[in-house]
Amino acid sequence: MLVDISINDLGVIRHSSAELSEGLTVLTGETGAGKTMVVTGLRLLAGGRADASRVRDGAKKAVVEGHFSSTKESISQLVESVGGEPDENGEFIVSRTVSAAGRSRAYLGGRAVPAATLGDFAREIITVHGQNDQLRLLSPEEQLGAVDRADPRLAGIREDYAEAFQKWRSLARDYRRRTESRRELAQEADRLQYALEEIDGVAPEPGEDAKLVQLVQRLQDVDGLRESAHTALAAIDGTEELDEAASSLLGRAGSALGGSPDNRLSDLGDRIFEITSQLGDISAELGGYLAGLPADPTLLEKSLQRQQALRALTRKYASDIDGVLAWRDEAESKLQSMDTSAEVLEELKVQVKEAEEEMMRKAAELTKGRRKAAQVLGKLVTEELHGLAMPNSTLTVKLSTAKYSKTGADSAELQLNGKQLATAASGGELSRVMLALEVVLASEDGATLVFDEVDAGVGGRAAVEIGRRLARLAAHNQVIVVTHLPQVAAYADAHLHVSKDKFTSGVAELSAQERVEELARMLAGLDDTDTGRAHAQELFDRAQKEASARLTQVAD
């Protein structure tokens, strides 16, 4: 649900904000006051295309911000995946800026994201219906999607089919690739096999090249290292030729001072004994170091030869041995997919056939479900159209067989009185068809539905019916409607008015009395007459009473 929205420097709106509640909210105002800019702002929050021409004249950028509330786990996961988080109220802040130069920036949960990410976020929580959306309804994809929405059980069937279709297509492509490019694959397989044998012949270990560098350097300096360590050890421990060893001399000095009655000399003796102890540790480490020095005179030559073998691999396959081993694993996996032997091709052919049969079975199941859903959808939408002052109209769904694709083996066409919607419906009729579909297909998950002048070209009784259906739709969803019809506005739970002074516009929520005055204005400008206000009051009271009764029925 959209909790609130703020708009800065978008079109004629300098700065305005509005809190939005559950139920039905209408936006009204004079032509040119900026109602469309509110919908434009919502489209920007939904990841829509940014248009620099929408930035208010003289401003550097336009900014739109919205706070959304949702308990959907998928919404939380999406925000978390981009590094965003809810605010202290548990709401998700979405914002969009558009500079006068045309640059656009999007933010979700406090983190910068691509505009497409806002589209993914909005797809779960808000739907905007306008003239462009009516045109989108005419596309075969949208019409097939409407059929699938008509029966919640179809979602799982369609998903199962999509998995089967993807498996079949992947296997079929692999089989076609192996058969059509058999010679090229065989040549590539020989090359990879030779490379694998060359690498396996050397049998490198991870990180071996770096270890060899250290070992070779050590072996090249081994004589000097041995002499340095031996000289130091001899000085500490002494030799047959050198009786006065450092350890002995220090021991004698410590003994001479250790028993002194003078505390100062005694302390110095203790310090000498500490040095003597450390010298013993150093002596032991030097002994171990000497014992660990390579004694094999041929080891250096062997190491240099091994180093050359490894370098031969790194020159061909990667910059280091770890890269060579990674290349080898990838090549081995690739080699398995290049097997073009008769046995492998025959086995793969069988797998393709089995996958195709499974896909066709699931497609048939999907088609069967769609045919039932199409009949139900046509019946329910027709009933809604009759209530929307189209008593002689019948909506049917024509399902036809189509080429297998990720959506199944069906194509759908919504028909009005047996003809395509595009040719059979006027602009006003198309608006009512779209509204009827939304009423029939709407879920009860608290989504936000935005209708931008869905009542265009409608009046009289049809306008009242549109108001009723929007109110019914708002029983379980947040519905925001831009309208010019008082019959629709009268059913609203909240009424926002967009007003314009000389240069800028603002949005304000109307009180009950102000709503009546606005309805009177919408009734052909009768706000300055007692008759007009009385008519508006009657319209308002009747619609509110009806809406209240419907809410009571829903609650019961």
Side-chain angles (χ1 to χ4, degrees):
M1 186 182 82
L2 179 60
V3 178
D4 59 55
I5 183 173
S6 65
I7 299 174
N8 294 278
D9 295 324
L10 185 67
V12 294
I13 299 179
R14 180 190 296 274
H15 171 72
S16 193
S17 62
E19 293 187 5
L20 299 166
S21 58
E22 298 178 354
L24 176 59
T25 299
V26 296
L27 284 88
T28 65
E30 295 283 2
T31 301
K35 302 187 298 296
T36 302
M37 286 302 101
V38 177
V39 178
T40 298
L42 290 171
R43 289 188 186 278
L44 286 173
L45 294 182
R49 186 178 67 88
D51 187 351
S53 66
R54 296 293 191 181
V55 179
R56 191 175 64 84
D57 291 342
K60 293 183 178 179
K61 63 180 179 180
V63 181
V64 184
E65 182 176 289
H67 291 226
F68 290 85
S69 174
S70 176
T71 57
K72 286 187 175 182
E73 184 64 26
S74 57
I75 290 290
S76 299
Q77 291 175 350
L78 173 62
V79 176
E80 184 178 347
S81 69
V82 299
E85 58 184 7
D87 64 7
E88 63 274 10
N89 298 316
E91 297 166 358
F92 303 104
I93 301 176
V94 180
S95 64
R96 189 85 179 273
T97 64
V98 182
S99 72
R103 292 179 61 84
S104 168
R105 293 185 182 277
Y107 299 88
L108 176 59
R111 297 301 295 268
V113 296
T117 302
L118 293 191
D120 296 335
F121 175 85
R123 196 172 296 114
E124 295 276 343
I125 201 170
I126 185 171
T127 303
V128 181
H129 292 289
Q131 293 182 354
N132 291 336
D133 304 281
Q134 295 175 24
L135 295 176
R136 194 170 64 243
L137 175 63
L138 300 177
S139 72
E141 295 80 7
E142 288 290 327
Q143 295 185 8
L144 184 62
V147 173
D148 289 345
R149 288 172 58 195
D151 185 350
R153 293 171 296 183
L154 286 178
I157 300 174
R158 180 167 170 167
E159 184 176 346
D160 289 343
Y161 164 79
E163 292 179 0
F165 172 77
Q166 183 60 37
K167 179 180 179 180
W168 165 75
R169 186 169 63 173
S170 178
L171 288 170
R173 284 177 175 176
D174 189 20
Y175 179 75
R176 186 168 57 251
R177 180 180 63 91
R178 295 197 196 206
T179 53
E180 293 179 356
S181 305
R182 195 166 185 174
R183 178 178 298 177
E184 292 81 356
L185 288 175
Q187 293 173 347
E188 177 68 7
D190 288 342
R191 186 183 70 83
L192 291 177
Q193 185 62 47
Y194 174 82
L196 289 176
E197 291 174 357
E198 182 180 19
I199 295 172
D200 291 344
V202 177
E205 296 291 334
E208 185 181 359
D209 49 347
K211 295 177 182 177
L212 267 179
V213 170
Q214 298 177 356
L215 177 60
V216 168
Q217 184 176 359
R218 191 178 181 192
L219 289 171
Q220 289 173 335
D221 298 335
V222 68
D223 292 337
L225 296 174
R226 183 179 285 108
E227 182 179 354
S228 297
H230 189 273
T231 299
L233 185 61
I236 294 172
D237 292 343
T239 62
E240 294 181 359
E241 297 81 13
L242 183 62
D243 295 331
E244 296 296 311
S247 56
S248 299
L249 294 174
L250 285 172
R252 190 185 307 165
S255 297
L257 300 177
S260 174
D262 189 307
N263 289 336
R264 188 174 180 183
L265 291 179
S266 178
D267 289 343
L268 290 172
D270 291 341
R271 290 167 63 185
I272 291 174
F273 283 131
E274 291 178 4
I275 295 173
T276 303
S277 176
Q278 294 179 9
L279 206 59
D281 293 339
I282 293 173
S283 174
E285 288 188 33
L286 283 173
Y289 179 82
L290 283 169
L293 286 175
D296 184 358
T298 65
L299 184 57
L300 176 59
E301 182 64 25
K302 293 177 181 177
S303 298
L304 290 172
Q305 291 176 356
R306 180 65 176 175
Q307 200 172 47
Q308 286 297 111
L310 296 181
R311 285 176 178 170
L313 298 180
T314 56
R315 280 195 298 267
K316 288 185 178 181
Y317 306 111
S319 59
D320 56 26
I321 288 301
D322 287 348
V324 171
L325 292 173
W327 186 95
R328 185 212 172 281
D329 292 342
E330 184 179 347
E332 186 174 43
S333 176
K334 190 175 181 180
L335 187 62
Q336 292 176 358
S337 69
M338 291 182 175
D339 192 341
T340 57
S341 63
E343 296 80 4
V344 168
L345 289 178
E346 185 60 31
E347 181 182 354
L348 187 56
K349 184 178 181 180
V350 171
Q351 292 177 3
V352 171
K353 183 63 176 177
E354 292 175 349
E356 183 180 27
E357 291 174 350
E358 178 69 8
M359 177 200 63
M360 294 173 66
R361 186 183 67 79
K362 291 185 179 295
E365 182 182 359
L366 182 58
T367 298
K368 181 179 179 181
R370 280 173 170 166
R371 294 196 182 283
K372 293 181 180 179
Q375 292 179 352
V376 173
L377 179 63
K379 179 181 178 181
L380 293 177
V381 173
T382 296
E383 292 176 358
E384 290 295 328
L385 292 178
H386 290 172
L388 289 169
M390 295 175 64
N392 299 319
S393 295
T394 301
L395 185 116
T396 55
V397 184
K398 179 182 178 181
L399 280 182
S400 303
T401 302
K403 182 180 179 181
Y404 288 102
S405 68
K406 61 182 181 181
T407 59
D410 311 297
S411 65
E413 180 181 271
L414 300 184
Q415 296 182 341
L416 191 64
N417 299 327
K419 299 179 181 180
Q420 293 181 351
L421 271 180
T423 58
S426 64
E429 289 173 334
L430 190 57
S431 296
R432 281 176 274 177
V433 169
M434 185 176 68
L435 176 58
L437 278 168
E438 195 61 72
V439 170
V440 170
L441 299 176
S443 62
E444 298 183 0
D445 58 0
T448 296
L449 305 173
V450 182
F451 294 91
D452 183 13
E453 299 201 14
V454 69
D455 50 18
V458 177
R461 185 68 182 172
V464 174
E465 293 299 333
I466 287 178
R468 285 174 175 165
R469 277 153 181 78
L470 288 170
R472 187 201 309 171
L473 194 58
H476 299 288
N477 298 277
Q478 182 187 43
V479 180
I480 302 170
V481 181
V482 177
T483 183
H484 66 281
L485 293 179
Q487 297 94 327
V488 173
Y491 280 90
D493 300 298
H495 191 147
L496 301 179
H497 183 253
V498 184
S499 59
K500 182 180 181 182
D501 58 22
K502 188 173 182 180
F503 298 108
T504 61
S505 293
V507 182
E509 184 171 357
L510 302 183
S511 65
Q513 183 57 41
E514 289 171 333
R515 290 185 63 178
V516 173
E517 293 177 1
E518 172 64 5
L519 292 179
R521 180 197 66 79
M522 297 170 72
L523 287 166
L526 299 178
D527 52 322
D528 59 348
T529 67
D530 293 338
T531 302
R533 283 190 290 271
H535 187 185
Q537 186 70 58
E538 180 183 2
L539 175 63
F540 178 69
D541 292 342
R542 183 186 301 171
Q544 290 295 302
K545 182 178 180 180
E546 185 179 326
S548 178
R550 180 173 287 112
L551 285 176
T552 301
Q553 292 175 358
V554 172
D556 293 341

